[in-house]
Coordinates of all heavy atoms in Angstrom, one line a residue:
M1 N 10.4 -67.3 65.1 CA 11.5 -68.2 65.1 C 12.8 -67.5 64.7 O 12.8 -66.8 63.7 CB 11.2 -69.4 64.0 CG 10.0 -70.1 64.3 SD 9.5 -71.2 62.9 CE 10.8 -72.4 62.9
L2 N 13.9 -67.8 65.5 CA 15.1 -67.1 65.2 C 16.1 -68.1 64.5 O 16.1 -69.3 64.8 CB 15.8 -66.6 66.4 CG 15.0 -65.5 67.2 CD1 15.7 -65.2 68.5 CD2 14.9 -64.3 66.3
F3 N 16.8 -67.6 63.5 CA 17.8 -68.4 62.8 C 19.1 -67.6 62.7 O 19.1 -66.4 62.3 CB 17.3 -68.7 61.3 CG 16.1 -69.6 61.3 CD1 14.8 -69.1 61.3 CD2 16.3 -71.0 61.1 CE1 13.7 -69.9 61.3 CE2 15.2 -71.8 61.0 CZ 13.9 -71.3 61.1
H4 N 20.2 -68.3 63.0 CA 21.5 -67.8 62.7 C 21.9 -68.2 61.3 O 21.8 -69.4 61.0 CB 22.5 -68.4 63.8 CG 23.9 -68.1 63.6 ND1 24.7 -68.7 62.6 CD2 24.7 -67.3 64.3 CE1 25.9 -68.2 62.8 NE2 26.0 -67.4 63.8
V5 N 22.3 -67.3 60.5 CA 22.6 -67.6 59.1 C 24.0 -67.0 58.8 O 24.3 -65.8 59.1 CB 21.6 -67.0 58.1 CG1 22.0 -67.2 56.7 CG2 20.2 -67.5 58.5
R6 N 24.9 -67.9 58.2 CA 26.2 -67.4 57.7 C 26.1 -67.4 56.2 O 25.7 -68.4 55.6 CB 27.3 -68.3 58.2 CG 28.6 -67.9 57.6 CD 29.8 -68.7 58.1 NE 31.0 -68.2 57.4 CZ 32.2 -68.1 57.9 NH1 32.4 -68.4 59.2 NH2 33.2 -67.7 57.2
M7 N 26.5 -66.3 55.6 CA 26.5 -66.2 54.2 C 28.0 -65.9 53.7 O 28.6 -64.9 54.2 CB 25.6 -65.0 53.7 CG 24.2 -65.1 54.1 SD 23.2 -63.7 53.5 CE 21.9 -63.7 54.7
D8 N 28.5 -66.7 52.9 CA 29.9 -66.5 52.3 C 29.7 -66.1 50.8 O 29.1 -66.9 50.1 CB 30.7 -67.7 52.4 CG 31.0 -68.1 53.9 OD1 31.4 -67.2 54.7 OD2 30.8 -69.3 54.2
V9 N 30.1 -64.9 50.5 CA 29.9 -64.4 49.1 C 31.0 -64.9 48.2 O 32.2 -64.8 48.6 CB 29.7 -62.9 49.1 CG1 29.4 -62.4 47.7 CG2 28.7 -62.4 50.1
R10 N 30.7 -65.5 47.1 CA 31.7 -66.0 46.2 C 31.4 -65.5 44.7 O 30.9 -66.3 43.9 CB 31.6 -67.6 46.1 CG 31.6 -68.2 47.5 CD 33.0 -68.6 47.9 NE 33.1 -69.4 49.1 CZ 33.5 -68.9 50.3 NH1 34.0 -67.7 50.3 NH2 33.6 -69.7 51.4
L11 N 31.6 -64.2 44.6 CA 31.4 -63.7 43.2 C 32.5 -64.1 42.3 O 33.7 -64.0 42.7 CB 31.3 -62.1 43.3 CG 30.0 -61.6 43.9 CD1 30.1 -60.1 44.2 CD2 28.8 -61.8 42.9
P12 N 32.2 -64.4 41.0 CA 33.3 -64.8 40.1 C 34.3 -63.6 39.9 O 33.8 -62.5 39.8 CB 32.6 -65.2 38.8 CG 31.1 -65.3 39.2 CD 30.9 -64.5 40.4
S13 N 35.6 -63.9 39.9 CA 36.5 -62.8 39.8 C 36.4 -62.1 38.4 O 36.8 -61.0 38.3 CB 37.9 -63.3 40.0 OG 38.2 -64.4 39.1
D14 N 35.9 -62.8 37.4 CA 35.8 -62.2 36.1 C 34.4 -61.6 35.8 O 34.1 -61.3 34.7 CB 36.1 -63.3 35.0 CG 35.2 -64.5 35.0 OD1 34.4 -64.6 36.0 OD2 35.2 -65.3 34.1
M15 N 33.6 -61.5 36.8 CA 32.3 -60.9 36.6 C 32.4 -59.4 36.2 O 33.3 -58.7 36.7 CB 31.5 -60.9 37.9 CG 30.1 -60.3 37.8 SD 29.2 -60.5 39.4 CE 28.2 -62.0 39.0
D16 N 31.6 -59.0 35.2 CA 31.6 -57.6 34.7 C 31.4 -56.7 35.9 O 30.4 -56.9 36.7 CB 30.5 -57.5 33.7 CG 30.5 -56.1 33.1 OD1 30.0 -55.2 33.8 OD2 31.1 -55.9 32.0
P17 N 32.2 -55.6 36.1 CA 32.1 -54.7 37.3 C 30.7 -54.1 37.4 O 30.2 -53.9 38.5 CB 33.2 -53.7 37.1 CG 34.2 -54.4 36.2 CD 33.4 -55.3 35.3
S18 N 30.1 -53.8 36.2 CA 28.8 -53.1 36.3 C 27.7 -54.1 36.7 O 26.7 -53.8 37.4 CB 28.4 -52.4 35.0 OG 28.3 -53.4 34.0
V19 N 27.8 -55.4 36.3 CA 26.9 -56.4 36.7 C 27.0 -56.6 38.2 O 26.0 -56.7 39.0 CB 27.1 -57.7 35.9 CG1 26.3 -58.9 36.5 CG2 26.8 -57.5 34.4
R20 N 28.3 -56.7 38.6 CA 28.6 -56.9 40.1 C 28.0 -55.7 40.9 O 27.3 -56.0 41.9 CB 30.1 -57.0 40.3 CG 30.5 -57.1 41.7 CD 32.0 -56.9 41.9 NE 32.4 -56.8 43.2 CZ 33.1 -57.7 43.9 NH1 33.5 -58.8 43.3 NH2 33.4 -57.6 45.1
A21 N 28.2 -54.5 40.5 CA 27.7 -53.3 41.2 C 26.1 -53.4 41.3 O 25.6 -53.0 42.3 CB 28.2 -52.1 40.5
D22 N 25.5 -53.8 40.2 CA 24.0 -53.8 40.1 C 23.5 -54.9 41.1 O 22.6 -54.6 41.9 CB 23.6 -54.2 38.7 CG 22.1 -54.3 38.7 OD1 21.3 -53.4 38.9 OD2 21.6 -55.5 38.4
I23 N 24.1 -56.1 41.2 CA 23.7 -57.1 42.1 C 23.9 -56.7 43.5 O 23.0 -56.9 44.4 CB 24.5 -58.4 41.8 CG1 24.1 -59.0 40.4 CG2 24.1 -59.5 42.9 CD1 25.0 -60.2 40.0
V24 N 25.1 -56.1 43.8 CA 25.3 -55.6 45.2 C 24.4 -54.5 45.6 O 23.9 -54.5 46.8 CB 26.8 -55.2 45.3 CG1 27.1 -54.5 46.6 CG2 27.7 -56.4 45.1
A25 N 24.0 -53.6 44.7 CA 23.1 -52.6 45.1 C 21.7 -53.2 45.3 O 21.0 -52.7 46.3 CB 23.0 -51.5 43.9
R26 N 21.3 -54.1 44.5 CA 20.0 -54.8 44.7 C 19.9 -55.6 46.0 O 18.9 -55.6 46.7 CB 19.6 -55.6 43.5 CG 19.2 -54.8 42.3 CD 18.6 -55.6 41.1 NE 19.6 -56.4 40.5 CZ 19.6 -57.8 40.5 NH1 18.6 -58.4 41.2 NH2 20.5 -58.5 39.9
E27 N 21.1 -56.2 46.3 CA 21.2 -57.0 47.6 C 21.0 -56.0 48.8 O 20.3 -56.3 49.7 CB 22.6 -57.6 47.6 CG 22.8 -58.4 48.9 CD 22.3 -59.8 48.8 OE1 21.8 -60.2 47.8 OE2 22.4 -60.5 49.8
K28 N 21.6 -54.8 48.7 CA 21.5 -53.9 49.8 C 20.1 -53.4 50.0 O 19.6 -53.4 51.1 CB 22.4 -52.7 49.5 CG 22.4 -51.6 50.6 CD 23.4 -50.5 50.3 CE 23.5 -49.5 51.4 NZ 24.5 -48.5 51.2
A29 N 19.4 -53.1 48.9 CA 18.0 -52.6 49.0 C 17.1 -53.7 49.5 O 16.3 -53.5 50.4 CB 17.5 -52.2 47.6
Y30 N 17.3 -54.9 49.0 CA 16.5 -56.1 49.5 C 16.7 -56.3 51.0 O 15.8 -56.5 51.7 CB 16.9 -57.3 48.7 CG 16.2 -58.6 48.9 CD1 15.0 -58.9 48.2 CD2 16.6 -59.5 49.9 CE1 14.4 -60.1 48.4 CE2 16.0 -60.7 50.1 CZ 14.9 -61.0 49.4 OH 14.2 -62.2 49.6
S31 N 18.0 -56.3 51.4 CA 18.3 -56.6 52.8 C 17.8 -55.4 53.7 O 17.2 -55.7 54.8 CB 19.7 -56.8 53.1 OG 20.5 -55.6 53.1
Q32 N 17.9 -54.2 53.2 CA 17.4 -53.1 54.1 C 15.9 -53.1 54.2 O 15.4 -52.7 55.3 CB 18.0 -51.8 53.5 CG 19.5 -51.7 53.8 CD 20.1 -50.3 53.4 OE1 19.5 -49.5 52.7 NE2 21.2 -50.1 54.0
K33 N 15.2 -53.5 53.2 CA 13.7 -53.6 53.3 C 13.4 -54.7 54.4 O 12.5 -54.4 55.3 CB 13.1 -54.1 52.0 CG 11.6 -54.3 52.0 CD 11.1 -54.6 50.6 CE 9.6 -54.8 50.5 NZ 9.2 -56.0 51.2
L34 N 14.1 -55.8 54.4 CA 13.8 -56.9 55.4 C 14.2 -56.4 56.8 O 13.5 -56.7 57.8 CB 14.5 -58.2 55.0 CG 13.9 -58.8 53.7 CD1 14.8 -60.1 53.4 CD2 12.5 -59.2 53.9
Q35 N 15.3 -55.6 56.9 CA 15.7 -55.1 58.2 C 14.6 -54.2 58.7 O 14.3 -54.2 59.9 CB 17.0 -54.4 58.0 CG 18.2 -55.3 57.8 CD 19.5 -54.6 57.5 OE1 20.0 -53.8 58.3 NE2 20.0 -54.8 56.3
R36 N 14.1 -53.3 57.8 CA 13.1 -52.3 58.3 C 11.8 -53.1 58.7 O 11.1 -52.6 59.6 CB 12.8 -51.3 57.2 CG 13.8 -50.2 57.1 CD 13.4 -49.1 56.1 NE 13.4 -49.5 54.8 CZ 14.5 -49.4 54.0 NH1 15.6 -48.8 54.4 NH2 14.4 -49.8 52.7
E37 N 11.5 -54.2 58.1 CA 10.3 -55.0 58.4 C 10.5 -55.8 59.7 O 9.6 -56.5 60.1 CB 10.0 -55.9 57.2 CG 9.5 -55.1 56.0 CD 9.3 -56.0 54.8 OE1 9.6 -57.2 54.8 OE2 8.8 -55.5 53.8
G38 N 11.8 -55.9 60.2 CA 12.0 -56.6 61.4 C 12.3 -58.1 61.1 O 12.5 -58.9 62.1
K39 N 12.4 -58.5 59.9 CA 12.7 -59.9 59.6 C 14.2 -60.2 59.7 O 14.5 -61.4 59.7 CB 12.2 -60.2 58.1 CG 10.7 -60.0 57.8 CD 10.0 -61.2 58.4 CE 8.5 -61.1 58.1 NZ 7.7 -62.1 58.9
W40 N 15.0 -59.2 59.6 CA 16.5 -59.4 59.6 C 17.1 -58.5 60.6 O 17.7 -57.5 60.3 CB 17.0 -59.1 58.2 CG 18.4 -59.5 57.8 CD1 19.4 -59.7 58.6 CD2 18.8 -59.7 56.4 NE1 20.5 -60.1 57.9 CE2 20.2 -60.1 56.6 CE3 18.3 -59.6 55.2 CZ2 21.0 -60.4 55.4 CZ3 19.1 -59.9 54.1 CH2 20.4 -60.3 54.2
P41 N 16.9 -58.8 61.9 CA 17.3 -57.8 63.0 C 18.8 -57.7 63.2 O 19.2 -56.7 63.8 CB 16.6 -58.4 64.2 CG 16.4 -59.8 63.9 CD 16.2 -59.9 62.4
H42 N 19.6 -58.6 62.7 CA 21.1 -58.5 62.9 C 21.8 -58.8 61.6 O 21.5 -59.8 60.9 CB 21.6 -59.4 64.0 CG 21.3 -58.9 65.4 ND1 22.0 -58.0 66.1 CD2 20.2 -59.3 66.2 CE1 21.5 -57.8 67.2 NE2 20.4 -58.5 67.3
L43 N 22.7 -58.0 61.2 CA 23.6 -58.2 60.0 C 25.0 -57.7 60.4 O 25.2 -56.5 60.6 CB 23.0 -57.4 58.8 CG 23.9 -57.4 57.5 CD1 24.2 -58.8 57.0 CD2 23.2 -56.5 56.5
W44 N 25.9 -58.6 60.5 CA 27.3 -58.3 60.9 C 28.3 -58.8 59.8 O 28.1 -59.9 59.3 CB 27.6 -59.0 62.2 CG 26.8 -58.5 63.3 CD1 25.6 -59.1 63.8 CD2 27.0 -57.4 64.2 NE1 25.1 -58.4 64.9 CE2 25.9 -57.3 65.1 CE3 28.0 -56.4 64.2 CZ2 25.8 -56.3 66.1 CZ3 27.9 -55.4 65.1 CH2 26.8 -55.4 66.1
R45 N 29.3 -58.0 59.6 CA 30.4 -58.5 58.7 C 31.3 -59.3 59.5 O 31.6 -59.0 60.7 CB 31.1 -57.2 58.2 CG 32.3 -57.5 57.3 CD 32.0 -58.2 56.0 NE 31.4 -57.4 55.0 CZ 30.5 -57.8 54.2 NH1 30.0 -59.1 54.3 NH2 30.0 -57.1 53.2
I46 N 31.8 -60.4 59.0 CA 32.9 -61.2 59.6 C 34.2 -60.5 59.2 O 34.5 -60.4 58.0 CB 32.9 -62.7 59.2 CG1 31.5 -63.3 59.6 CG2 34.0 -63.4 59.8 CD1 31.3 -64.7 59.1
V47 N 35.0 -60.2 60.2 CA 36.2 -59.4 60.0 C 37.1 -60.2 59.0 O 37.4 -61.3 59.2 CB 37.0 -59.1 61.3 CG1 38.3 -58.4 61.0 CG2 36.1 -58.2 62.2
G48 N 37.5 -59.5 58.0 CA 38.5 -60.0 57.0 C 38.0 -61.0 56.0 O 38.7 -61.6 55.2
E49 N 36.6 -61.1 56.0 CA 36.0 -62.0 55.0 C 34.9 -61.3 54.3 O 34.2 -60.4 54.8 CB 35.5 -63.3 55.7 CG 36.5 -64.1 56.5 CD 36.0 -65.4 57.1 OE1 35.1 -66.0 56.4 OE2 36.4 -65.7 58.2
Y50 N 34.6 -61.8 53.0 CA 33.4 -61.3 52.3 C 32.2 -62.2 52.7 O 31.7 -63.0 51.9 CB 33.6 -61.3 50.8 CG 32.6 -60.5 50.0 CD1 31.5 -59.8 50.6 CD2 32.7 -60.4 48.6 CE1 30.6 -59.1 49.9 CE2 31.7 -59.7 47.9 CZ 30.7 -59.1 48.5 OH 29.7 -58.4 47.8
S51 N 31.9 -62.1 54.0 CA 30.9 -63.0 54.6 C 30.2 -62.2 55.7 O 30.7 -61.2 56.2 CB 31.6 -64.2 55.3 OG 32.4 -64.9 54.5
N52 N 29.0 -62.7 56.0 CA 28.2 -62.1 57.1 C 27.6 -63.1 58.0 O 27.4 -64.2 57.6 CB 27.2 -61.1 56.6 CG 26.0 -61.7 56.0 OD1 25.2 -62.4 56.7 ND2 25.9 -61.7 54.6
I53 N 27.3 -62.7 59.2 CA 26.5 -63.4 60.2 C 25.2 -62.6 60.3 O 25.3 -61.4 60.7 CB 27.2 -63.6 61.5 CG1 28.5 -64.4 61.4 CG2 26.3 -64.2 62.6 CD1 28.2 -65.9 61.1
S54 N 24.1 -63.3 60.1 CA 22.8 -62.6 60.2 C 21.9 -63.4 61.2 O 22.1 -64.6 61.4 CB 22.2 -62.6 58.9 OG 22.9 -61.7 58.0
I55 N 21.0 -62.7 61.8 CA 19.9 -63.3 62.5 C 18.6 -62.9 61.8 O 18.4 -61.7 61.5 CB 19.8 -62.8 64.0 CG1 21.1 -63.1 64.8 CG2 18.6 -63.4 64.7 CD1 21.4 -64.6 65.0
F56 N 17.9 -63.9 61.5 CA 16.5 -63.7 60.9 C 15.5 -64.1 61.9 O 15.6 -65.0 62.7 CB 16.4 -64.6 59.6 CG 17.1 -64.1 58.4 CD1 18.4 -64.3 58.2 CD2 16.4 -63.4 57.4 CE1 19.1 -63.8 57.1 CE2 17.1 -62.8 56.3 CZ 18.4 -63.1 56.2
D57 N 14.4 -63.3 61.9 CA 13.2 -63.6 62.7 C 12.0 -63.8 61.8 O 11.4 -62.8 61.4 CB 13.1 -62.4 63.7 CG 12.0 -62.7 64.8 OD1 11.4 -63.7 64.7 OD2 11.8 -61.8 65.6
V58 N 11.7 -65.0 61.6 CA 10.6 -65.3 60.6 C 9.7 -66.3 61.2 O 9.9 -66.9 62.3 CB 11.3 -65.9 59.3 CG1 12.1 -64.9 58.6 CG2 12.1 -67.1 59.6
N59 N 8.6 -66.6 60.5 CA 7.5 -67.5 61.0 C 7.7 -69.0 60.7 O 7.0 -69.8 61.4 CB 6.2 -67.0 60.5 CG 5.8 -65.6 61.0 OD1 6.0 -65.3 62.2 ND2 5.4 -64.7 60.1
S60 N 8.6 -69.3 59.8 CA 8.7 -70.7 59.4 C 10.0 -70.9 58.6 O 10.6 -70.0 58.1 CB 7.5 -71.1 58.6 OG 7.5 -70.4 57.3
N61 N 10.3 -72.2 58.5 CA 11.5 -72.6 57.7 C 11.2 -72.2 56.2 O 12.1 -71.7 55.5 CB 11.7 -74.1 57.7 CG 12.2 -74.6 59.0 OD1 12.4 -73.9 60.0 ND2 12.4 -75.9 59.1
D62 N 10.0 -72.4 55.8 CA 9.6 -72.0 54.4 C 9.8 -70.5 54.2 O 10.2 -70.1 53.1 CB 8.2 -72.4 54.1 CG 8.0 -74.0 54.0 OD1 9.0 -74.7 53.9 OD2 6.9 -74.4 54.0
E63 N 9.4 -69.7 55.2 CA 9.5 -68.3 55.0 C 11.0 -67.9 54.9 O 11.4 -67.1 54.0 CB 8.9 -67.5 56.1 CG 9.0 -66.0 55.9 CD 8.5 -65.1 57.0 OE1 8.1 -65.6 58.1 OE2 8.4 -63.9 56.8
L64 N 11.9 -68.5 55.7 CA 13.3 -68.2 55.7 C 13.8 -68.6 54.3 O 14.6 -67.9 53.7 CB 14.1 -68.9 56.8 CG 15.6 -68.7 56.8 CD1 15.9 -67.2 57.0 CD2 16.3 -69.6 57.8
H65 N 13.5 -69.8 53.8 CA 14.0 -70.3 52.5 C 13.5 -69.3 51.4 O 14.3 -69.0 50.5 CB 13.5 -71.7 52.2 CG 14.0 -72.2 50.9 ND1 15.4 -72.6 50.8 CD2 13.5 -72.3 49.7 CE1 15.6 -73.0 49.6 NE2 14.5 -72.8 48.9
E66 N 12.3 -68.8 51.5 CA 11.8 -67.9 50.5 C 12.6 -66.6 50.5 O 13.1 -66.1 49.5 CB 10.3 -67.6 50.8 CG 9.7 -66.8 49.7 CD 8.2 -66.5 50.0 OE1 7.5 -67.4 50.6 OE2 7.7 -65.4 49.7
L67 N 12.9 -66.1 51.7 CA 13.7 -64.8 51.8 C 15.1 -65.0 51.3 O 15.6 -64.2 50.6 CB 13.7 -64.3 53.3 CG 12.3 -63.9 53.9 CD1 12.5 -63.4 55.3 CD2 11.6 -62.9 53.0
L68 N 15.7 -66.1 51.7 CA 17.1 -66.4 51.4 C 17.3 -66.6 49.9 O 18.2 -66.1 49.2 CB 17.7 -67.5 52.1 CG 17.9 -67.3 53.6 CD1 18.4 -68.6 54.3 CD2 18.8 -66.1 54.0
S69 N 16.3 -67.4 49.3 CA 16.4 -67.7 47.9 C 16.1 -66.5 47.0 O 16.4 -66.4 45.8 CB 15.6 -68.9 47.5 OG 14.3 -68.7 47.8
G70 N 15.5 -65.4 47.6 CA 15.2 -64.2 46.9 C 16.3 -63.2 46.9 O 16.3 -62.1 46.3
L71 N 17.4 -63.5 47.7 CA 18.6 -62.6 47.7 C 19.2 -62.5 46.3 O 19.5 -63.5 45.7 CB 19.6 -63.1 48.7 CG 19.3 -63.0 50.2 CD1 20.2 -64.0 50.9 CD2 19.4 -61.6 50.7
P72 N 19.4 -61.3 45.8 CA 20.1 -61.1 44.5 C 21.4 -61.9 44.5 O 21.8 -62.4 43.4 CB 20.2 -59.6 44.4 CG 19.1 -59.1 45.1 CD 18.9 -60.0 46.3
L73 N 22.1 -62.0 45.6 CA 23.4 -62.7 45.6 C 23.3 -64.2 45.9 O 24.3 -64.9 45.9 CB 24.3 -62.1 46.7 CG 25.1 -60.8 46.4 CD1 25.8 -60.2 47.7 CD2 26.1 -61.0 45.3
F74 N 22.0 -64.6 46.0 CA 21.8 -66.1 46.3 C 22.6 -67.0 45.4 O 23.2 -68.0 45.9 CB 20.3 -66.4 46.3 CG 20.0 -67.8 46.7 CD1 20.0 -68.2 48.0 CD2 19.7 -68.8 45.7 CE1 19.7 -69.5 48.4 CE2 19.4 -70.1 46.1 CZ 19.4 -70.4 47.4
P75 N 22.6 -66.8 44.1 CA 23.4 -67.7 43.3 C 24.9 -67.7 43.5 O 25.6 -68.6 43.0 CB 23.1 -67.2 41.8 CG 21.9 -66.3 41.9 CD 22.0 -65.7 43.3
Y76 N 25.4 -66.7 44.2 CA 26.8 -66.5 44.4 C 27.2 -66.6 45.9 O 28.2 -66.1 46.3 CB 27.2 -65.1 43.9 CG 26.8 -64.9 42.5 CD1 25.7 -64.1 42.2 CD2 27.5 -65.5 41.4 CE1 25.3 -63.9 40.9 CE2 27.1 -65.3 40.1 CZ 26.0 -64.5 39.9 OH 25.6 -64.3 38.6
M77 N 26.4 -67.3 46.7 CA 26.7 -67.4 48.1 C 26.6 -68.9 48.6 O 25.7 -69.7 48.1 CB 25.7 -66.6 49.0 CG 25.9 -65.1 48.8 SD 25.2 -64.1 50.1 CE 23.4 -64.4 49.8
D78 N 27.5 -69.2 49.5 CA 27.3 -70.4 50.3 C 26.6 -70.0 51.6 O 27.0 -69.1 52.3 CB 28.6 -71.1 50.7 CG 29.4 -71.6 49.4 OD1 28.7 -72.0 48.5 OD2 30.6 -71.5 49.4
I79 N 25.5 -70.7 51.9 CA 24.7 -70.2 53.1 C 24.5 -71.4 54.0 O 24.2 -72.5 53.6 CB 23.2 -69.8 52.6 CG1 23.4 -68.6 51.7 CG2 22.4 -69.4 53.8 CD1 22.0 -68.1 51.1
R80 N 24.8 -71.1 55.3 CA 24.6 -72.1 56.4 C 23.6 -71.6 57.4 O 23.8 -70.5 57.9 CB 25.9 -72.5 57.0 CG 26.7 -73.5 56.2 CD 28.1 -73.6 56.6 NE 28.9 -72.5 56.1 CZ 30.1 -72.2 56.4 NH1 30.7 -72.9 57.3 NH2 30.8 -71.2 55.9
V81 N 22.6 -72.4 57.7 CA 21.5 -72.0 58.6 C 21.6 -72.8 59.9 O 21.7 -74.0 59.8 CB 20.2 -72.1 57.9 CG1 19.0 -71.8 58.8 CG2 20.1 -71.3 56.6
M82 N 21.5 -72.1 61.0 CA 21.3 -72.8 62.3 C 20.1 -72.3 63.0 O 20.0 -71.1 63.4 CB 22.5 -72.5 63.2 CG 23.8 -73.3 62.9 SD 25.1 -72.9 64.1 CE 25.8 -71.5 63.3
P83 N 19.1 -73.2 63.1 CA 17.9 -72.8 63.9 C 18.2 -72.6 65.3 O 19.0 -73.4 65.9 CB 16.9 -74.0 63.7 CG 17.5 -74.8 62.6 CD 19.0 -74.5 62.6
L84 N 17.6 -71.6 66.0 CA 17.9 -71.3 67.4 C 16.7 -71.6 68.3 O 15.6 -71.3 67.9 CB 18.3 -69.8 67.5 CG 19.5 -69.3 66.7 CD1 19.7 -67.8 66.9 CD2 20.8 -70.1 67.0
A85 N 17.1 -72.2 69.4 CA 16.0 -72.5 70.5 C 16.4 -71.7 71.7 O 17.6 -71.3 71.9 CB 15.9 -74.0 70.7
T86 N 15.5 -71.6 72.6 CA 15.8 -70.9 73.9 C 16.7 -71.7 74.8 O 16.5 -72.9 75.0 CB 14.5 -70.6 74.6 OG1 13.6 -69.9 73.8 CG2 14.7 -69.8 75.9
H87 N 17.8 -71.1 75.3 CA 18.7 -71.8 76.2 C 18.0 -71.9 77.6 O 17.5 -70.9 78.1 CB 20.0 -71.0 76.3 CG 21.1 -71.9 76.9 ND1 21.2 -72.2 78.2 CD2 22.2 -72.5 76.3 CE1 22.2 -72.9 78.5 NE2 22.8 -73.1 77.3
P88 N 18.1 -73.1 78.2 CA 17.5 -73.3 79.5 C 18.0 -72.4 80.6 O 17.4 -72.1 81.6 CB 17.7 -74.8 79.8 CG 18.8 -75.2 79.0 CD 18.7 -74.4 77.7
S89 N 19.3 -71.9 80.5 CA 19.9 -71.0 81.5 C 19.6 -69.6 81.3 O 20.1 -68.7 82.0 CB 21.4 -71.3 81.5 OG 21.7 -72.6 81.8
K90 N 18.9 -69.2 80.2 CA 18.7 -67.8 79.9 C 17.8 -67.2 80.9 O 16.8 -67.7 81.3 CB 18.1 -67.7 78.5 CG 17.9 -66.2 78.1 CD 17.3 -66.1 76.7 CE 17.3 -64.6 76.2 NZ 16.5 -63.8 77.2
V91 N 18.3 -66.0 81.4 CA 17.5 -65.2 82.3 C 16.4 -64.5 81.5 O 16.8 -63.8 80.5 CB 18.3 -64.2 83.1 CG1 17.5 -63.3 84.0 CG2 19.4 -64.9 83.9
S92 N 15.2 -64.7 81.9 CA 14.1 -64.0 81.1 C 13.7 -62.7 81.7 O 14.2 -62.3 82.7 CB 13.0 -65.0 80.8 OG 12.6 -65.6 82.0
Ligands
LIG101 O1 28.0 -58.4 51.7 C1 27.4 -59.4 52.2 O2 27.7 -60.0 53.2 C2 26.1 -59.9 51.5 C3 25.0 -59.1 51.9 C4 23.9 -59.5 52.6 C5 23.0 -58.3 52.8 C6 23.8 -57.3 52.1 O3 23.4 -56.1 51.9 O4 24.9 -57.8 51.6

């Protein structure tokens, strides 16, 4: 099952820089593990924003929720999920 996910990062401006660096480093390691496993096949930066567009390839809504809620940045992000279905005009 494919999901389009938009993540807008909203880190507090007064967050301690070392805490921020630790969360961002853990986020990178977590996302790269999922990318290597094929669960997170696309990760794109939105130009000019601290936001990304991602595609997740998972087995269920529950699995996606588990992966997203495990993101180290999860408490600091607004996340919007769009489930994707096959378009009838798609050439296969
Ligand atoms: O920087 C972001 O968009 C948040 C993020 C998701 C995966 C990652 O490594 O950073």
Side-chain angles (χ1 to χ4, degrees):
M1 300 168 69
L2 295 174
F3 292 87
H4 173 286
V5 179
R6 176 177 175 142
M7 303 179 203
D8 297 313
V9 183
R10 309 265 186 252
L11 285 167
S13 56
D14 61 350
M15 180 177 265
D16 182 281
S18 64
V19 172
R20 177 191 171 110
D22 176 66
I23 295 173
V24 170
R26 287 190 289 113
E27 179 85 4
K28 181 174 182 175
Y30 182 91
S31 76
Q32 290 188 338
K33 177 175 182 289
L34 293 176
Q35 289 171 64
R36 283 190 287 271
E37 292 172 355
K39 298 285 183 187
W40 194 336
H42 288 274
L43 171 58
W44 297 95
R45 177 63 78 218
I46 300 175
V47 175
E49 299 185 37
Y50 193 2
S51 304
N52 74 70
I53 295 291
S54 293
I55 300 292
F56 282 81
D57 188 357
V58 293
N59 295 315
S60 65
N61 291 2
D62 288 347
E63 182 183 9
L64 180 63
H65 184 74
E66 188 179 326
L67 296 183
L68 294 178
S69 57
L71 288 163
L73 280 173
F74 182 76
Y76 306 103
M77 291 198 292
D78 295 328
I79 299 179
R80 277 164 283 171
V81 176
M82 279 184 275
L84 302 177
T86 304
H87 194 286
S89 301
K90 183 178 184 306
V91 176
S92 46

